[in-house]
Amino acid sequence: MEVTAGPLPRLKMEGPENADEVVAAISTYKASHTPQQTESAVHIWYDRYDEILGAAIQENLQTRVLRDANSSNGYELCQESQDYRQCQNRQMAEQRGARSDQVQMMKNNNLEVRIQHAFMKVRNGLIQNNLRYEWFKVRTTNGIDTF
């Protein structure tokens, strides 16, 4: 896998974070490029990780909605059914599914935190380099807000 995304380093998703490395690369790039080229390079880098962040947030929101619907439907079907064994099997399957969903949601949460943290550090680095981009927003995990 490549280490850079254009002129800027890729974010490390495991191990120590590298937002400071990204900020240093932006500063170096800014010194030899126009403001428009610098903004474009940062925007390309940002868009890549904002898309990943958005996908992780959306997947968690959808998983929660589906999990709630499945639990509710399963409960109603058990109430309507007179077959205790079938109801018990359904509940056990729901519990296995919920555990599986929890594992994936935790992975997504870790990814969200990693990217959000890196975005905040990079944005602070941009401000220190007198680069203020109105579009550089950090998504929140509710899938609606940014800051």
Side-chain angles (χ1 to χ4, degrees), residues 79-122:
Q79 293 300 315
E80 294 171 4
S81 171
Q82 299 300 318
D83 188 344
Y84 175 76
R85 184 182 280 320
Q86 181 184 13
C87 186
Q88 188 177 28
N89 288 341
R90 175 182 277 293
Q91 288 173 339
M92 286 176 24
E94 282 297 323
Q95 289 172 357
R96 283 191 301 275
R99 280 192 300 274
S100 175
D101 288 346
Q102 279 302 112
V103 168
Q104 184 58 43
M105 289 175 72
M106 192 57 125
K107 288 178 183 177
N108 285 340
N109 285 337
N110 290 339
L111 182 65
E112 291 166 18
V113 168
R114 173 67 69 132
I115 294 172
Q116 288 169 329
H117 184 256
F119 274 6
M120 288 185 282
K121 285 185 80 174
V122 169

mmCIF file of all heavy atoms in Angstrom, residues 79-122:
data_model
loop_
_atom_site.group_PDB
_atom_site.id
_atom_site.type_symbol
_atom_site.label_atom_id
_atom_site.label_comp_id
_atom_site.label_asym_id
_atom_site.label_seq_id
_atom_site.Cartn_x
_atom_site.Cartn_y
_atom_site.Cartn_z
ATOM 1 N N GLN A 79 -44.038 -13.289 20.552
ATOM 2 C CA GLN A 79 -45.289 -13.072 21.284
ATOM 3 C C GLN A 79 -46.470 -13.720 20.559
ATOM 4 O O GLN A 79 -47.381 -14.236 21.199
ATOM 5 C CB GLN A 79 -45.548 -11.572 21.456
ATOM 6 C CG GLN A 79 -44.561 -10.865 22.349
ATOM 7 C CD GLN A 79 -44.550 -11.434 23.761
ATOM 8 O OE1 GLN A 79 -45.591 -11.672 24.362
ATOM 9 N NE2 GLN A 79 -43.360 -11.666 24.284
ATOM 10 N N GLU A 80 -46.417 -13.692 19.231
ATOM 11 C CA GLU A 80 -47.510 -14.257 18.438
ATOM 12 C C GLU A 80 -47.429 -15.777 18.336
ATOM 13 O O GLU A 80 -48.435 -16.451 18.159
ATOM 14 C CB GLU A 80 -47.494 -13.657 17.029
ATOM 15 C CG GLU A 80 -47.795 -12.185 16.991
ATOM 16 C CD GLU A 80 -47.571 -11.574 15.625
ATOM 17 O OE1 GLU A 80 -47.241 -12.313 14.669
ATOM 18 O OE2 GLU A 80 -47.715 -10.345 15.513
ATOM 19 N N SER A 81 -46.231 -16.317 18.439
ATOM 20 C CA SER A 81 -46.011 -17.750 18.269
ATOM 21 C C SER A 81 -46.263 -18.501 19.576
ATOM 22 O O SER A 81 -46.049 -17.979 20.658
ATOM 23 C CB SER A 81 -44.568 -17.983 17.813
ATOM 24 O OG SER A 81 -44.275 -19.362 17.836
ATOM 25 N N GLN A 82 -46.693 -19.718 19.426
ATOM 26 C CA GLN A 82 -46.873 -20.587 20.587
ATOM 27 C C GLN A 82 -45.733 -21.599 20.702
ATOM 28 O O GLN A 82 -45.712 -22.416 21.606
ATOM 29 C CB GLN A 82 -48.217 -21.328 20.482
ATOM 30 C CG GLN A 82 -49.427 -20.418 20.451
ATOM 31 C CD GLN A 82 -49.532 -19.558 21.707
ATOM 32 O OE1 GLN A 82 -49.304 -20.026 22.815
ATOM 33 N NE2 GLN A 82 -49.873 -18.280 21.535
ATOM 34 N N ASP A 83 -44.763 -21.508 19.783
ATOM 35 C CA ASP A 83 -43.646 -22.459 19.732
ATOM 36 C C ASP A 83 -42.465 -21.910 20.531
ATOM 37 O O ASP A 83 -41.691 -21.083 20.059
ATOM 38 C CB ASP A 83 -43.254 -22.699 18.279
ATOM 39 C CG ASP A 83 -42.224 -23.812 18.129
ATOM 40 O OD1 ASP A 83 -41.589 -24.183 19.148
ATOM 41 O OD2 ASP A 83 -42.050 -24.308 17.000
ATOM 42 N N TYR A 84 -42.318 -22.380 21.757
ATOM 43 C CA TYR A 84 -41.279 -21.889 22.647
ATOM 44 C C TYR A 84 -39.890 -22.157 22.082
ATOM 45 O O TYR A 84 -39.006 -21.300 22.147
ATOM 46 C CB TYR A 84 -41.429 -22.540 24.026
ATOM 47 C CG TYR A 84 -40.310 -22.173 24.967
ATOM 48 C CD1 TYR A 84 -40.273 -20.924 25.560
ATOM 49 C CD2 TYR A 84 -39.285 -23.071 25.245
ATOM 50 C CE1 TYR A 84 -39.240 -20.569 26.413
ATOM 51 C CE2 TYR A 84 -38.242 -22.733 26.081
ATOM 52 C CZ TYR A 84 -38.228 -21.479 26.674
ATOM 53 O OH TYR A 84 -37.200 -21.138 27.515
ATOM 54 N N ARG A 85 -39.663 -23.349 21.518
ATOM 55 C CA ARG A 85 -38.349 -23.708 20.985
ATOM 56 C C ARG A 85 -37.962 -22.783 19.821
ATOM 57 O O ARG A 85 -36.837 -22.310 19.745
ATOM 58 C CB ARG A 85 -38.318 -25.165 20.535
ATOM 59 C CG ARG A 85 -36.922 -25.585 20.071
ATOM 60 C CD ARG A 85 -36.825 -26.994 19.579
ATOM 61 N NE ARG A 85 -36.718 -28.112 20.459
ATOM 62 C CZ ARG A 85 -36.015 -28.218 21.593
ATOM 63 N NH1 ARG A 85 -35.373 -27.203 22.060
ATOM 64 N NH2 ARG A 85 -35.980 -29.328 22.271
ATOM 65 N N GLN A 86 -38.889 -22.531 18.918
ATOM 66 C CA GLN A 86 -38.614 -21.638 17.789
ATOM 67 C C GLN A 86 -38.288 -20.226 18.295
ATOM 68 O O GLN A 86 -37.372 -19.575 17.789
ATOM 69 C CB GLN A 86 -39.814 -21.594 16.845
ATOM 70 C CG GLN A 86 -39.588 -20.706 15.638
ATOM 71 C CD GLN A 86 -40.835 -20.612 14.757
ATOM 72 O OE1 GLN A 86 -41.922 -21.014 15.154
ATOM 73 N NE2 GLN A 86 -40.654 -20.077 13.575
ATOM 74 N N CYS A 87 -38.991 -19.779 19.274
ATOM 75 C CA CYS A 87 -38.766 -18.459 19.843
ATOM 76 C C CYS A 87 -37.375 -18.395 20.491
ATOM 77 O O CYS A 87 -36.634 -17.423 20.303
ATOM 78 C CB CYS A 87 -39.844 -18.151 20.881
ATOM 79 S SG CYS A 87 -39.762 -16.484 21.527
ATOM 80 N N GLN A 88 -37.027 -19.427 21.221
ATOM 81 C CA GLN A 88 -35.711 -19.476 21.860
ATOM 82 C C GLN A 88 -34.592 -19.485 20.817
ATOM 83 O O GLN A 88 -33.593 -18.786 20.960
ATOM 84 C CB GLN A 88 -35.624 -20.710 22.760
ATOM 85 C CG GLN A 88 -34.380 -20.746 23.603
ATOM 86 C CD GLN A 88 -34.384 -21.956 24.531
ATOM 87 O OE1 GLN A 88 -34.978 -22.988 24.233
ATOM 88 N NE2 GLN A 88 -33.704 -21.804 25.648
ATOM 89 N N ASN A 89 -34.769 -20.258 19.735
ATOM 90 C CA ASN A 89 -33.773 -20.291 18.654
ATOM 91 C C ASN A 89 -33.630 -18.922 17.993
ATOM 92 O O ASN A 89 -32.526 -18.482 17.671
ATOM 93 C CB ASN A 89 -34.148 -21.349 17.608
ATOM 94 C CG ASN A 89 -33.935 -22.760 18.118
ATOM 95 O OD1 ASN A 89 -33.208 -22.972 19.086
ATOM 96 N ND2 ASN A 89 -34.593 -23.716 17.485
ATOM 97 N N ARG A 90 -34.739 -18.259 17.788
ATOM 98 C CA ARG A 90 -34.716 -16.931 17.186
ATOM 99 C C ARG A 90 -33.964 -15.951 18.097
ATOM 100 O O ARG A 90 -33.152 -15.155 17.629
ATOM 101 C CB ARG A 90 -36.134 -16.434 16.942
ATOM 102 C CG ARG A 90 -36.197 -15.004 16.430
ATOM 103 C CD ARG A 90 -37.605 -14.526 16.242
ATOM 104 N NE ARG A 90 -38.220 -14.911 15.016
ATOM 105 C CZ ARG A 90 -37.853 -14.478 13.811
ATOM 106 N NH1 ARG A 90 -36.849 -13.669 13.690
ATOM 107 N NH2 ARG A 90 -38.489 -14.864 12.742
ATOM 108 N N GLN A 91 -34.228 -16.010 19.386
ATOM 109 C CA GLN A 91 -33.552 -15.102 20.329
ATOM 110 C C GLN A 91 -32.048 -15.364 20.362
ATOM 111 O O GLN A 91 -31.256 -14.430 20.420
ATOM 112 C CB GLN A 91 -34.156 -15.245 21.719
ATOM 113 C CG GLN A 91 -35.538 -14.636 21.820
ATOM 114 C CD GLN A 91 -36.196 -14.920 23.158
ATOM 115 O OE1 GLN A 91 -35.838 -15.862 23.877
ATOM 116 N NE2 GLN A 91 -37.205 -14.110 23.491
ATOM 117 N N MET A 92 -31.659 -16.627 20.305
ATOM 118 C CA MET A 92 -30.229 -16.955 20.292
ATOM 119 C C MET A 92 -29.573 -16.446 19.012
ATOM 120 O O MET A 92 -28.459 -15.918 19.036
ATOM 121 C CB MET A 92 -30.030 -18.460 20.461
ATOM 122 C CG MET A 92 -30.300 -18.901 21.888
ATOM 123 S SD MET A 92 -30.215 -20.680 22.237
ATOM 124 C CE MET A 92 -29.209 -21.382 21.027
ATOM 125 N N ALA A 93 -30.267 -16.576 17.877
ATOM 126 C CA ALA A 93 -29.738 -16.061 16.612
ATOM 127 C C ALA A 93 -29.607 -14.542 16.669
ATOM 128 O O ALA A 93 -28.619 -13.973 16.184
ATOM 129 C CB ALA A 93 -30.644 -16.471 15.455
ATOM 130 N N GLU A 94 -30.577 -13.878 17.265
ATOM 131 C CA GLU A 94 -30.517 -12.422 17.423
ATOM 132 C C GLU A 94 -29.321 -12.018 18.286
ATOM 133 O O GLU A 94 -28.639 -11.038 17.990
ATOM 134 C CB GLU A 94 -31.804 -11.879 18.053
ATOM 135 C CG GLU A 94 -32.957 -11.779 17.111
ATOM 136 C CD GLU A 94 -32.707 -10.816 15.975
ATOM 137 O OE1 GLU A 94 -32.077 -9.758 16.175
ATOM 138 O OE2 GLU A 94 -33.133 -11.134 14.860
ATOM 139 N N GLN A 95 -29.058 -12.753 19.329
ATOM 140 C CA GLN A 95 -27.924 -12.449 20.205
ATOM 141 C C GLN A 95 -26.598 -12.634 19.470
ATOM 142 O O GLN A 95 -25.690 -11.816 19.616
ATOM 143 C CB GLN A 95 -27.968 -13.312 21.464
ATOM 144 C CG GLN A 95 -29.083 -12.925 22.401
ATOM 145 C CD GLN A 95 -29.255 -13.900 23.553
ATOM 146 O OE1 GLN A 95 -28.568 -14.910 23.640
ATOM 147 N NE2 GLN A 95 -30.196 -13.600 24.445
ATOM 148 N N ARG A 96 -26.491 -13.699 18.673
ATOM 149 C CA ARG A 96 -25.264 -13.897 17.884
ATOM 150 C C ARG A 96 -25.087 -12.763 16.879
ATOM 151 O O ARG A 96 -23.987 -12.227 16.700
ATOM 152 C CB ARG A 96 -25.299 -15.244 17.159
ATOM 153 C CG ARG A 96 -24.998 -16.428 18.049
ATOM 154 C CD ARG A 96 -24.778 -17.700 17.242
ATOM 155 N NE ARG A 96 -25.917 -18.082 16.421
ATOM 156 C CZ ARG A 96 -26.960 -18.800 16.830
ATOM 157 N NH1 ARG A 96 -27.012 -19.230 18.072
ATOM 158 N NH2 ARG A 96 -27.938 -19.104 16.003
ATOM 159 N N GLY A 97 -26.167 -12.378 16.226
ATOM 160 C CA GLY A 97 -26.112 -11.273 15.271
ATOM 161 C C GLY A 97 -25.725 -9.970 15.950
ATOM 162 O O GLY A 97 -24.938 -9.185 15.412
ATOM 163 N N ALA A 98 -26.264 -9.745 17.133
ATOM 164 C CA ALA A 98 -25.952 -8.516 17.882
ATOM 165 C C ALA A 98 -24.476 -8.484 18.256
ATOM 166 O O ALA A 98 -23.829 -7.428 18.166
ATOM 167 C CB ALA A 98 -26.830 -8.419 19.128
ATOM 168 N N ARG A 99 -23.915 -9.610 18.659
ATOM 169 C CA ARG A 99 -22.480 -9.655 18.996
ATOM 170 C C ARG A 99 -21.626 -9.357 17.773
ATOM 171 O O ARG A 99 -20.649 -8.609 17.831
ATOM 172 C CB ARG A 99 -22.107 -11.008 19.605
ATOM 173 C CG ARG A 99 -22.467 -11.128 21.065
ATOM 174 C CD ARG A 99 -21.833 -12.352 21.705
ATOM 175 N NE ARG A 99 -22.225 -13.616 21.085
ATOM 176 C CZ ARG A 99 -23.301 -14.317 21.394
ATOM 177 N NH1 ARG A 99 -24.131 -13.882 22.309
ATOM 178 N NH2 ARG A 99 -23.557 -15.453 20.794
ATOM 179 N N SER A 100 -22.008 -9.929 16.648
ATOM 180 C CA SER A 100 -21.285 -9.691 15.406
ATOM 181 C C SER A 100 -21.361 -8.218 15.011
ATOM 182 O O SER A 100 -20.365 -7.609 14.618
ATOM 183 C CB SER A 100 -21.863 -10.574 14.294
ATOM 184 O OG SER A 100 -21.251 -10.285 13.070
ATOM 185 N N ASP A 101 -22.548 -7.647 15.124
ATOM 186 C CA ASP A 101 -22.721 -6.225 14.818
ATOM 187 C C ASP A 101 -21.875 -5.360 15.756
ATOM 188 O O ASP A 101 -21.287 -4.370 15.322
ATOM 189 C CB ASP A 101 -24.188 -5.819 14.946
ATOM 190 C CG ASP A 101 -25.063 -6.372 13.824
ATOM 191 O OD1 ASP A 101 -24.504 -6.843 12.810
ATOM 192 O OD2 ASP A 101 -26.300 -6.336 13.979
ATOM 193 N N GLN A 102 -21.827 -5.733 17.017
ATOM 194 C CA GLN A 102 -21.048 -4.957 17.986
ATOM 195 C C GLN A 102 -19.570 -4.923 17.614
ATOM 196 O O GLN A 102 -18.920 -3.889 17.743
ATOM 197 C CB GLN A 102 -21.210 -5.524 19.400
ATOM 198 C CG GLN A 102 -22.469 -5.093 20.097
ATOM 199 C CD GLN A 102 -22.574 -3.586 20.208
ATOM 200 O OE1 GLN A 102 -23.429 -2.996 19.581
ATOM 201 N NE2 GLN A 102 -21.717 -2.962 20.973
ATOM 202 N N VAL A 103 -19.032 -6.038 17.143
ATOM 203 C CA VAL A 103 -17.629 -6.092 16.737
ATOM 204 C C VAL A 103 -17.375 -5.113 15.594
ATOM 205 O O VAL A 103 -16.433 -4.320 15.623
ATOM 206 C CB VAL A 103 -17.213 -7.530 16.337
ATOM 207 C CG1 VAL A 103 -15.865 -7.555 15.648
ATOM 208 C CG2 VAL A 103 -17.205 -8.436 17.559
ATOM 209 N N GLN A 104 -18.237 -5.141 14.580
ATOM 210 C CA GLN A 104 -18.065 -4.241 13.441
ATOM 211 C C GLN A 104 -18.272 -2.784 13.846
ATOM 212 O O GLN A 104 -17.536 -1.897 13.406
ATOM 213 C CB GLN A 104 -19.028 -4.613 12.302
ATOM 214 C CG GLN A 104 -18.826 -3.773 11.052
ATOM 215 C CD GLN A 104 -17.405 -3.880 10.500
ATOM 216 O OE1 GLN A 104 -16.834 -4.959 10.430
ATOM 217 N NE2 GLN A 104 -16.833 -2.750 10.110
ATOM 218 N N MET A 105 -19.234 -2.536 14.699
ATOM 219 C CA MET A 105 -19.482 -1.168 15.145
ATOM 220 C C MET A 105 -18.305 -0.632 15.956
ATOM 221 O O MET A 105 -17.955 0.547 15.849
ATOM 222 C CB MET A 105 -20.783 -1.093 15.943
ATOM 223 C CG MET A 105 -22.014 -1.274 15.071
ATOM 224 S SD MET A 105 -23.558 -1.336 15.994
ATOM 225 C CE MET A 105 -23.695 0.371 16.494
ATOM 226 N N MET A 106 -17.676 -1.483 16.731
ATOM 227 C CA MET A 106 -16.507 -1.060 17.499
ATOM 228 C C MET A 106 -15.346 -0.719 16.563
ATOM 229 O O MET A 106 -14.639 0.272 16.780
ATOM 230 C CB MET A 106 -16.096 -2.143 18.492
ATOM 231 C CG MET A 106 -15.096 -1.645 19.491
ATOM 232 S SD MET A 106 -15.744 -0.226 20.357
ATOM 233 C CE MET A 106 -15.569 -0.754 21.999
ATOM 234 N N LYS A 107 -15.160 -1.519 15.519
ATOM 235 C CA LYS A 107 -14.125 -1.207 14.522
ATOM 236 C C LYS A 107 -14.404 0.143 13.881
ATOM 237 O O LYS A 107 -13.503 0.963 13.698
ATOM 238 C CB LYS A 107 -14.055 -2.291 13.444
ATOM 239 C CG LYS A 107 -13.456 -3.594 13.906
ATOM 240 C CD LYS A 107 -13.473 -4.616 12.777
ATOM 241 C CE LYS A 107 -12.946 -5.956 13.239
ATOM 242 N NZ LYS A 107 -13.021 -6.967 12.172
ATOM 243 N N ASN A 108 -15.663 0.372 13.517
ATOM 244 C CA ASN A 108 -16.039 1.654 12.927
ATOM 245 C C ASN A 108 -15.828 2.809 13.914
ATOM 246 O O ASN A 108 -15.353 3.874 13.523
ATOM 247 C CB ASN A 108 -17.498 1.633 12.458
ATOM 248 C CG ASN A 108 -17.696 0.842 11.193
ATOM 249 O OD1 ASN A 108 -16.769 0.598 10.427
ATOM 250 N ND2 ASN A 108 -18.923 0.411 10.961
ATOM 251 N N ASN A 109 -16.178 2.585 15.180
ATOM 252 C CA ASN A 109 -15.967 3.629 16.189
ATOM 253 C C ASN A 109 -14.489 3.989 16.303
ATOM 254 O O ASN A 109 -14.138 5.170 16.396
ATOM 255 C CB ASN A 109 -16.498 3.190 17.557
ATOM 256 C CG ASN A 109 -18.004 3.233 17.639
ATOM 257 O OD1 ASN A 109 -18.666 3.944 16.892
ATOM 258 N ND2 ASN A 109 -18.561 2.446 18.540
ATOM 259 N N ASN A 110 -13.640 2.986 16.318
ATOM 260 C CA ASN A 110 -12.201 3.245 16.404
ATOM 261 C C ASN A 110 -11.717 4.036 15.192
ATOM 262 O O ASN A 110 -10.901 4.959 15.319
ATOM 263 C CB ASN A 110 -11.422 1.934 16.532
ATOM 264 C CG ASN A 110 -11.640 1.266 17.873
ATOM 265 O OD1 ASN A 110 -12.034 1.888 18.849
ATOM 266 N ND2 ASN A 110 -11.404 -0.038 17.919
ATOM 267 N N LEU A 111 -12.209 3.685 14.021
ATOM 268 C CA LEU A 111 -11.852 4.399 12.798
ATOM 269 C C LEU A 111 -12.351 5.848 12.854
ATOM 270 O O LEU A 111 -11.618 6.776 12.505
ATOM 271 C CB LEU A 111 -12.457 3.670 11.594
ATOM 272 C CG LEU A 111 -12.153 4.228 10.213
ATOM 273 C CD1 LEU A 111 -10.660 4.113 9.904
ATOM 274 C CD2 LEU A 111 -12.965 3.463 9.173
ATOM 275 N N GLU A 112 -13.576 6.031 13.306
ATOM 276 C CA GLU A 112 -14.141 7.372 13.420
ATOM 277 C C GLU A 112 -13.297 8.245 14.337
ATOM 278 O O GLU A 112 -12.961 9.381 13.987
ATOM 279 C CB GLU A 112 -15.574 7.298 13.963
ATOM 280 C CG GLU A 112 -16.566 6.679 13.007
ATOM 281 C CD GLU A 112 -17.883 6.317 13.661
ATOM 282 O OE1 GLU A 112 -18.188 6.842 14.760
ATOM 283 O OE2 GLU A 112 -18.620 5.500 13.084
ATOM 284 N N VAL A 113 -12.958 7.722 15.506
ATOM 285 C CA VAL A 113 -12.159 8.484 16.472
ATOM 286 C C VAL A 113 -10.793 8.818 15.885
ATOM 287 O O VAL A 113 -10.297 9.947 16.013
ATOM 288 C CB VAL A 113 -12.021 7.710 17.807
ATOM 289 C CG1 VAL A 113 -10.981 8.334 18.708
ATOM 290 C CG2 VAL A 113 -13.374 7.634 18.501
ATOM 291 N N ARG A 114 -10.180 7.862 15.207
ATOM 292 C CA ARG A 114 -8.855 8.072 14.613
ATOM 293 C C ARG A 114 -8.897 9.219 13.604
ATOM 294 O O ARG A 114 -8.071 10.118 13.632
ATOM 295 C CB ARG A 114 -8.388 6.771 13.959
ATOM 296 C CG ARG A 114 -7.103 6.827 13.152
ATOM 297 C CD ARG A 114 -5.863 7.081 13.988
ATOM 298 N NE ARG A 114 -5.527 5.973 14.831
ATOM 299 C CZ ARG A 114 -4.325 5.446 14.943
ATOM 300 N NH1 ARG A 114 -3.326 5.917 14.229
ATOM 301 N NH2 ARG A 114 -4.106 4.479 15.776
ATOM 302 N N ILE A 115 -9.873 9.191 12.716
ATOM 303 C CA ILE A 115 -9.963 10.220 11.674
ATOM 304 C C ILE A 115 -10.372 11.567 12.261
ATOM 305 O O ILE A 115 -9.790 12.603 11.924
ATOM 306 C CB ILE A 115 -10.917 9.779 10.544
ATOM 307 C CG1 ILE A 115 -10.324 8.566 9.812
ATOM 308 C CG2 ILE A 115 -11.172 10.926 9.566
ATOM 309 C CD1 ILE A 115 -11.263 7.924 8.800
ATOM 310 N N GLN A 116 -11.340 11.568 13.164
ATOM 311 C CA GLN A 116 -11.765 12.826 13.781
ATOM 312 C C GLN A 116 -10.600 13.490 14.524
ATOM 313 O O GLN A 116 -10.397 14.699 14.417
ATOM 314 C CB GLN A 116 -12.933 12.598 14.745
ATOM 315 C CG GLN A 116 -14.236 12.274 14.045
ATOM 316 C CD GLN A 116 -15.300 11.787 15.009
ATOM 317 O OE1 GLN A 116 -15.001 11.164 16.031
ATOM 318 N NE2 GLN A 116 -16.561 12.076 14.681
ATOM 319 N N HIS A 117 -9.866 12.711 15.261
ATOM 320 C CA HIS A 117 -8.715 13.236 16.007
ATOM 321 C C HIS A 117 -7.665 13.798 15.054
ATOM 322 O O HIS A 117 -7.136 14.892 15.264
ATOM 323 C CB HIS A 117 -8.131 12.129 16.888
ATOM 324 C CG HIS A 117 -7.013 12.590 17.756
ATOM 325 N ND1 HIS A 117 -5.706 12.298 17.485
ATOM 326 C CD2 HIS A 117 -7.013 13.349 18.873
ATOM 327 C CE1 HIS A 117 -4.933 12.841 18.409
ATOM 328 N NE2 HIS A 117 -5.696 13.489 19.257
ATOM 329 N N ALA A 118 -7.376 13.054 13.994
ATOM 330 C CA ALA A 118 -6.393 13.518 13.013
ATOM 331 C C ALA A 118 -6.877 14.808 12.339
ATOM 332 O O ALA A 118 -6.097 15.748 12.160
ATOM 333 C CB ALA A 118 -6.136 12.440 11.963
ATOM 334 N N PHE A 119 -8.157 14.862 11.996
ATOM 335 C CA PHE A 119 -8.702 16.070 11.371
ATOM 336 C C PHE A 119 -8.527 17.284 12.289
ATOM 337 O O PHE A 119 -8.166 18.367 11.833
ATOM 338 C CB PHE A 119 -10.179 15.886 11.024
ATOM 339 C CG PHE A 119 -10.443 15.239 9.692
ATOM 340 C CD1 PHE A 119 -9.429 14.727 8.897
ATOM 341 C CD2 PHE A 119 -11.738 15.128 9.220
ATOM 342 C CE1 PHE A 119 -9.687 14.140 7.668
ATOM 343 C CE2 PHE A 119 -12.013 14.551 7.989
ATOM 344 C CZ PHE A 119 -10.995 14.053 7.215
ATOM 345 N N MET A 120 -8.806 17.105 13.561
ATOM 346 C CA MET A 120 -8.677 18.233 14.488
ATOM 347 C C MET A 120 -7.225 18.693 14.596
ATOM 348 O O MET A 120 -6.945 19.893 14.594
ATOM 349 C CB MET A 120 -9.257 17.863 15.857
ATOM 350 C CG MET A 120 -10.773 17.782 15.825
ATOM 351 S SD MET A 120 -11.527 17.481 17.422
ATOM 352 C CE MET A 120 -11.243 15.733 17.623
ATOM 353 N N LYS A 121 -6.299 17.737 14.666
ATOM 354 C CA LYS A 121 -4.882 18.104 14.737
ATOM 355 C C LYS A 121 -4.412 18.771 13.446
ATOM 356 O O LYS A 121 -3.683 19.763 13.486
ATOM 357 C CB LYS A 121 -4.023 16.870 15.039
ATOM 358 C CG LYS A 121 -4.107 16.422 16.484
ATOM 359 C CD LYS A 121 -3.156 15.292 16.773
ATOM 360 C CE LYS A 121 -1.765 15.843 16.976
ATOM 361 N NZ LYS A 121 -0.812 14.816 17.402
ATOM 362 N N VAL A 122 -4.839 18.246 12.314
ATOM 363 C CA VAL A 122 -4.437 18.829 11.034
ATOM 364 C C VAL A 122 -5.047 20.218 10.892
ATOM 365 O O VAL A 122 -4.367 21.159 10.462
ATOM 366 C CB VAL A 122 -4.820 17.912 9.847
ATOM 367 C CG1 VAL A 122 -4.654 18.625 8.517
ATOM 368 C CG2 VAL A 122 -3.980 16.634 9.880
#
